[in-house]
Amino acid sequence: MAKIVGIRFGSFTKLDNFLTDNLEFKRGNICIVEGDKTEEIGEVVIPPYDPPADSNLSQLKKVLRMATKEDLEKSSENTKIEEDIVVIAPLMKNF
């Protein structure tokens, strides 16, 4: 039976619930989940638990897999690019 796991994106963003089938997660694991437009990387903050009997699980997206070394490297690269954009963008408005 599917379980629910709580995933957080970034340091202070909201917590979202996702479905997991046979994957074992612990608090602090980094995983890849279905996002609105693409896959997203997040941290497990609530380990898997059985959903309440009256839960509508059809609205929840799925955890796809544990994050790989490549996923973590790509996430780090993307974070660096985002930090560079924050510094450069205000300078570009004068051009």
Side-chain angles (χ1 to χ4, degrees):
M1 178 181 199
K3 294 189 177 212
I4 297 174
V5 63
I7 306 289
R8 180 177 62 201
F9 305 94
S11 299
F12 299 103
T13 58
K14 71 176 186 169
L15 173 77
D16 286 324
N17 289 319
F18 289 84
L19 286 179
T20 180
D21 289 325
N22 296 323
L23 299 174
E24 291 295 322
F25 292 102
K26 297 176 186 163
R27 186 179 174 99
N29 287 150
I30 306 299
C31 59
I32 304 299
V33 300
E34 292 179 345
D36 289 332
K37 297 178 182 176
T38 185
E39 295 176 354
E40 297 184 36
I41 192 166
E43 177 185 2
V44 175
V45 292
I46 300 175
Y49 62 93
D50 292 322
D54 60 346
S55 295
N56 180 6
L57 302 180
S58 66
Q59 300 296 320
L60 297 178
K61 294 181 181 176
K62 295 181 181 179
V63 176
L64 301 175
R65 66 182 185 277
M66 293 289 280
T68 64
K69 180 180 177 184
E70 291 79 18
D71 293 324
L72 298 173
E73 289 171 355
K74 183 66 174 172
S75 177
S76 180
E77 290 172 17
N78 289 343
T79 299
K80 174 69 172 116
I81 291 169
E82 291 168 2
E83 290 169 354
D84 291 345
I85 290 171
V86 168
V87 171
I88 295 170
L91 301 173
M92 298 301 291
K93 70 178 182 179
N94 294 328
F95 288 97

